[in-house]
Amino acid sequence: MSETTKGSGAQQKSGLRIPGFAQLQRLGKSLMLPIAVLPAAGILLRLGQDDLLGRIKAPVIGPFFQAMSAAGGALFNNLALLFAVGVAIGFARKADGSTALSAVVGYLVMQAVFKTMSPFVLAGQLDKAGEQAQINYSVFGGIVVGLLTAWLFDKYHTITLPPYLGFFGGRRFVPIVVSVASLVVSFAMSYFYPMFDAGLTGLGHFIGGAGALGAFVYGFANRMLIPLGLHHILNSYVWFIYGSYPSGDGHVVTGELSRFAAGDPSAGLLTSGFYPILMFGLPGAALAMIHVANKKQRKVAFGILSAAALTAFLTGVTEPLEFAFMFVAFPLYVVHAVLTGLSLAIAYLLDIHLGFSFSAGLIDLLLYGTAPAAKNIPLLIVMGLVFFAVYYLLFRFAITRWNMRTPGREPDAEFDAEERANVGEGAESATAVAVGGAVTTAPAVTDSKAEQLIAAFGGRENLRSVDACITRLRMEVVDAGKVDQNRLKSLGAAGVIEVGNSVQAVFGTQAEVLKNEINDAL
């Protein structure tokens, strides 16, 4: 291979170093496990309400639909417990059933401590029902328990105790140490609660009091954190902690999504603005990228972008589409983030209320568009059509004006080389085999996709940990220089991000399946 060829095939490696990024990445990933429960909870709660199936009063089937709504409500009311278990399993390096049990133990201890300490820490304070106010860290408390459990599990699940205490060694020791640690941590958190409550109240007042500006900041920050995979941390506050509302069964629910599902008429203001972007704006951008693709490459661009656009429209999963232009045309991605902020601000000004159970796609629009707390939904559709046009025109103009290399606009020489590689041309596509003195050509042995991915990440010895969230393989590697980004993209990755020794490859909703296949292969 010539030096020129080597240079052209070289890939750019990120020299970026963010202190603690690997841990933040693990936290963002671990938050996705409990969040994945929301679609089931939302569907059960919504379908069982009185304006849908709950209106049916027939014997047997009527009570069943009422029970369905109660089942969904139970999941929302216990989100903190779900986060404690989910974060513990997701953050621990080698979690198992004892990790989940330990998290439940830690959470129950925390709740008992908070209930006992409330009259001392919040003396004289009453809740809206006129009873003693309670310490309520909500989902944040669950996250603390989950992180504490994961850390203690990784540290002590292989501990060896003296023979007379041997029964309590190993994994049996973890729930014990978690209960003691939770007691101490919860006691300290009790005295910190007034400051925590004041801080959250102040943040809530900024977001709510700043009105459209607060909504814009949230929308812009949400999109700008996606390249790092840390947007779930910001979302967790808005979705599950911001605001409070007393539900009908005596529980106090917090967060935009939880309050909206419980019927809070003030909820959904900070989430409705995602619908015009995810359902309409990004598909408009995809159409623009298809139209400006080179004629020879348009069929390939259509295959990639149309599938990603349909996924965004139906489900609200946008990363496969966003990664198609996130790095090759980063100024466009900044414009996309600004437009997302504008959409949330405009929806706020138009007093549009709409939540979701998974993401702001068509499925959630149909499910929640008639919910009791939903408001001004027709305006949301009008906004979507406007944003579709804005995205299409802006993307088409910017790509052609500055010749951005979005999908379908690669130089023809590079595209032809990739096409030859894809159809197996070249020395690696065949193996010479001697048979009776003659040389024949036989197809090369093809590894499984898991083995190919392992090789692309630098081989078995280069992998420290293998994990995934909904759309990304999340790897910690020994040497990021051994990661072959081009090979990962040829295997279907929409984008690859390297920060230090943390590598994320965006494979869309098949990421979890690929993670399991890689772990099986390892």
Side-chain angles (χ1 to χ4, degrees):
M1 181 182 291
S2 68
E3 292 301 318
T4 303
T5 306
K6 287 179 181 179
S8 63
Q11 54 200 5
Q12 295 180 350
K13 299 294 182 182
S14 171
L16 182 62
R17 294 290 186 272
I18 300 178
F21 177 80
Q23 304 307 317
L24 285 174
Q25 177 180 285
R26 287 174 63 199
L27 175 59
K29 178 269 303 179
S30 66
L31 292 174
M32 292 311 300
L33 184 58
I35 288 175
V37 176
L38 288 182
I43 291 171
L44 289 174
L45 180 62
R46 182 70 189 104
L47 292 180
Q49 290 180 355
D50 290 339
D51 60 327
L52 292 179
L53 298 179
R55 72 177 68 178
I56 300 174
K57 304 301 180 183
V60 181
I61 194 68
F64 174 79
F65 290 133
Q66 293 179 22
M68 178 188 293
S69 180
L75 295 177
F76 276 105
N77 290 335
N78 291 283
L79 276 177
L81 174 58
L82 297 178
F83 269 80
V85 175
V87 169
I89 294 173
F91 202 82
R93 295 189 181 276
K94 294 182 179 180
D96 60 15
S98 63
T99 318
L101 175 63
S102 301
V104 172
V105 169
Y107 179 78
L108 294 177
V109 169
M110 174 175 279
Q111 289 302 98
V113 171
F114 287 165
K115 185 175 181 179
T116 303
M117 294 299 297
S118 292
F120 299 98
V121 177
L122 303 177
Q125 298 185 32
L126 303 178
D127 60 18
K128 294 180 181 180
E131 300 177 353
Q132 170 64 51
Q134 297 292 314
I135 296 172
N136 181 16
Y137 276 96
S138 187
V139 166
F140 178 76
I143 293 174
V144 170
V145 169
L147 293 174
L148 181 65
T149 301
W151 176 64
L152 292 173
F153 178 84
D154 287 340
K155 188 175 181 66
Y156 292 114
H157 76 281
T158 57
I159 190 172
T160 301
L161 298 178
Y164 57 88
L165 293 175
F167 176 79
F168 299 102
R171 284 172 169 78
R172 294 187 183 93
F173 182 74
V174 179
I176 299 172
V177 69
V178 167
S179 63
V180 175
S182 295
L183 170 62
V184 175
V185 170
S186 303
F187 185 78
M189 288 176 66
S190 298
Y191 285 99
F192 183 73
Y193 181 73
M195 290 181 286
F196 173 84
D197 186 54
L200 279 189
T201 300
L203 181 59
H205 285 163
F206 166 73
I207 293 177
L213 176 61
F216 174 86
V217 170
Y218 169 51
F220 178 79
N222 171 274
R223 291 296 104 177
M224 291 305 294
L225 285 174
I226 281 182
L228 299 177
L230 303 178
H231 53 299
H232 303 306
I233 299 175
L234 175 63
N235 288 340
S236 292
Y237 169 75
V238 176
W239 291 2
F240 306 120
I241 298 177
Y242 168 63
S244 62
Y245 178 72
S247 61
D249 56 4
H251 289 85
V252 175
V253 295
T254 60
E256 281 284 278
L257 298 186
S258 306
R259 291 187 292 111
F260 182 86
D264 183 357
S266 68
L269 266 177
L270 294 177
T271 50
S272 61
F274 284 112
Y275 281 91
I277 300 299
L278 276 55
M279 280 184 63
F280 297 94
L282 283 171
L287 182 62
M289 287 187 280
I290 291 171
H291 283 172
V292 298
N294 298 335
K295 188 174 181 180
K296 180 190 287 188
Q297 304 175 36
R298 188 165 295 162
K299 184 180 292 185
V300 173
F302 177 81
I304 296 171
L305 296 171
S306 62
L310 183 61
T311 300
F313 178 76
L314 291 177
T315 69
V317 175
T318 60
E319 285 173 303
L321 182 51
E322 287 168 324
F323 273 84
F325 66 90
M326 182 183 292
F327 296 112
V328 296
F330 188 73
L332 273 182
Y333 189 80
V334 176
V335 171
H336 165 51
V338 171
L339 290 175
T340 302
L342 284 176
S343 179
L344 265 67
I346 293 170
Y348 189 101
L349 292 172
L350 294 177
D351 198 28
I352 302 174
H353 297 251
L354 187 60
F356 43 80
S357 61
F358 176 64
S359 189
L362 178 64
I363 295 173
D364 273 312
L365 177 63
L366 296 176
L367 189 64
Y368 280 99
T370 57
K375 185 177 180 182
N376 292 331
I377 304 306
L379 290 177
L380 201 65
I381 305 301
V382 174
M383 276 185 62
L385 296 175
V386 172
F387 271 95
F388 179 89
V390 169
Y391 267 77
Y392 178 83
L393 294 174
L394 272 178
F395 270 63
R396 182 159 188 160
F397 170 78
I399 293 170
T400 54
R401 177 66 176 81
W402 289 287
N403 193 28
M404 294 178 174
R405 286 182 56 174
T406 50
R409 292 179 62 82
E410 299 178 41
D412 286 340
E414 291 184 20
F415 177 75
D416 291 340
E418 289 182 8
E419 286 293 287
R420 287 194 298 271
N422 289 335
V423 298
E425 293 183 20
E428 296 179 356
S429 65
T431 303
V433 182
V435 181
V439 177
T440 61
T441 301
V445 177
T446 301
D447 290 332
S448 68
K449 188 166 185 176
E451 291 291 351
Q452 294 180 60
L453 287 169
I454 292 171
F457 280 111
R460 284 169 164 75
E461 68 284 351
N462 199 44
L463 292 177
R464 283 180 176 168
S465 68
V466 179
D467 221 320
C469 64
I470 291 177
T471 59
R472 306 181 187 201
L473 282 175
R474 295 172 179 258
M475 308 294 202
E476 288 186 43
V477 298
V478 177
D479 181 3
K482 295 181 179 179
V483 176
D484 189 339
Q485 292 194 16
N486 291 333
R487 188 170 183 183
L488 286 172
K489 291 175 181 178
S490 71
L491 290 170
V496 181
I497 311 104
E498 294 181 10
V499 180
N501 290 334
S502 299
V503 181
Q504 301 176 19
V506 180
F507 281 94
T509 51
Q510 60 177 319
E512 183 72 23
V513 174
L514 293 175
K515 180 203 79 170
N516 293 334
E517 292 178 355
I518 291 172
N519 281 328
D520 290 342
L522 292 173

